[in-house]
């Protein structure tokens, strides 16, 4: 069984002062050794995480990156800039990036390939809209997204990636998928990767529902937005 992976997605939240406070609270806690905790922070907080996570069983990463190593791409961040700051993970293809910044399955593929080349673990996000679920094409949508995103991955790389199933209708709405709905899609995803690959669920995860998700055989962790912003709640989620 893969180690349970709890990933905070802070989105566009927290200044340096907020981040410092959060990490100070975490430092006072004892951490379970059988869990993997990750914070995906805004770029501006990565130096803080680099300094403050030392001695903690906490890893961190970014929420996006460009696929090129450098170049004339105003406003973008490269994989080398992330590894330079000690990042281990990077979220790729989050639905908010698709919705507001025109990201596609094709850009996701380039980013996945680039992340793996630079020893970053991509957290690859897939998920259907409410309409697609109503039209009964959820599995088809997920397969299409994964087929494109994972095209260039070797068998070995398929064990290194993390797949996050995030139904778009469940993100930030307070209306999580049921554990059974999530498990059913995770089974579809499992066919693309290996038994050792971490497949995590995201979409309105809270300390009230985390346990039910983690009880499902193919759910190996969670990608947590809103509920990860408060240190006490994040700790509860890690210790579910
Ligand atoms: P949420 O966000 O937990 O606030 O629903 C999850 C995500 O977007 O990764």
């Amino acid at each position: 069984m893969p180690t349970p992976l709890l990933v905070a997605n802070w989105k566009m939240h927290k200044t340096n002062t907020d981040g410092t406070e959060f990490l100070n609270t975490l430092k006072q806690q004892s951490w379970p050794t059988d869990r993997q905790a990750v914070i995906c922070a805004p770029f501006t907080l990565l130096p803080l995480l680099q300094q403050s996570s030392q001695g903690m069983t906490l890893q961190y990463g970014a929420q996006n990156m460009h696929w090129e190593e450098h170049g004339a791409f105003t406003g973008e961040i490269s994989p080398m800039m992330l590894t330079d700051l000690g990042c281990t993970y990077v979220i790729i293809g989050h639905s908010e990036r698709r919705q507001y910044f025109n990201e596609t399955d094709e850009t996701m593929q380039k980013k996945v390939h680039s992340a793996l080349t630079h020893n970053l673990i991509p957290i690859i996000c897939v998920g259907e809209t409410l309409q697609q679920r109503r039209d009964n094409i959820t599995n088809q949508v997920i397969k299409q997204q994964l087929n494109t995103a994972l095209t260039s991955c070797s068998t070995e790389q398929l064990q290194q990636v993390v797949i996050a199933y995030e139904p778009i209708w469940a993100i930030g709405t307070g209306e999580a998928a049921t554990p059974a709905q999530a498990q059913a899609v995770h089974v579809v995803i499992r066919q693309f990767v290996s038994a050792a690959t971490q497949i995590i669920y995201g979409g309105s995860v809270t300390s009230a529902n985390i346990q039910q998700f983690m009880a499902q055989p193919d759910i190996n962790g969670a990608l947590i937005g809103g509920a990860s912003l408060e240190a006490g709640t994040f700790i509860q989620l890690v210790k579910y």
Side-chain angles (χ1 to χ4, degrees):
M1 274 291 274
T3 308
L5 173 65
L6 290 308
V7 184
N9 175 10
W10 280 357
K11 308 193 180 186
M12 197 172 72
H13 292 287
K14 294 196 190 296
T15 60
N16 252 283
T17 311
D18 301 333
T20 306
E21 226 171 84
F22 186 102
L23 291 167
N24 283 342
T25 309
L26 286 202
K27 276 191 184 148
Q28 291 154 15
Q29 298 291 322
S30 62
W31 285 78
T33 50
D34 56 348
R35 306 283 155 85
Q36 225 174 312
V38 176
I39 294 179
C40 289
F43 297 128
T44 47
L45 293 184
L46 296 175
L48 173 72
L49 279 157
Q50 187 174 32
Q51 290 156 23
S52 306
S53 63
Q54 278 170 19
M56 292 171 77
T57 43
L58 177 71
Q59 286 174 307
Y60 57 91
Q63 302 166 14
N64 179 36
M65 63 169 212
H66 196 279
W67 56 85
E68 293 287 350
E69 290 185 346
H70 41 72
F73 301 104
T74 302
E76 291 291 319
I77 299 276
S78 87
M80 280 150 68
M81 295 171 185
L82 298 183
T83 50
D84 191 36
L85 289 172
C87 289
T88 310
Y89 290 86
V90 60
I91 297 175
I92 302 287
H94 190 281
S95 63
E96 286 153 16
R97 302 236 27 111
R98 294 168 185 263
Q99 189 180 348
Y100 305 122
F101 304 99
N102 301 322
E103 292 201 10
T104 61
D105 290 351
E106 285 69 31
T107 55
M108 184 152 91
Q109 183 191 70
K110 289 185 187 171
K111 291 180 181 194
V112 168
H113 184 70
S114 173
L116 289 165
T117 306
H118 291 90
N119 287 322
L120 286 161
I121 301 171
I123 300 173
I124 303 167
C125 299
V126 295
E128 80 287 2
T129 62
L130 189 55
Q131 193 55 50
Q132 288 166 333
R133 177 158 283 268
R134 286 187 176 144
D135 292 344
N136 236 344
I137 54 168
T138 298
N139 291 354
Q140 214 173 305
V141 170
I142 302 299
K143 284 179 186 174
Q144 160 72 40
Q145 290 171 344
L146 286 176
N147 263 327
T148 313
L150 300 174
T151 298
S152 50
C153 291
S154 66
T155 315
E156 198 194 358
Q157 287 173 330
L158 289 176
Q159 295 185 16
Q160 290 158 7
V161 301
V162 174
I163 312 286
Y165 168 53
E166 295 210 305
I168 295 168
W169 48 272
I171 297 176
T173 59
E175 192 200 330
T178 65
Q181 280 174 325
Q183 165 63 19
V185 177
H186 282 226
V187 168
V188 174
I189 297 172
R190 183 71 68 197
Q191 293 159 7
F192 284 80
V193 290
S194 79
T197 308
Q198 286 163 318
I199 307 176
I200 64 178
Y201 167 78
S204 297
V205 172
T206 63
S207 38
N209 62 22
I210 180 97
Q211 233 148 359
Q212 292 165 282
F213 284 113
M214 296 307 294
Q216 304 298 314
D218 285 287
I219 300 185
N220 312 120
L223 182 54
I224 308 149
S228 74
L229 292 172
E230 204 267 310
T233 314
F234 183 58
I235 293 160
Q236 276 179 15
L237 284 158
V238 172
K239 293 182 174 173
Y240 73 87

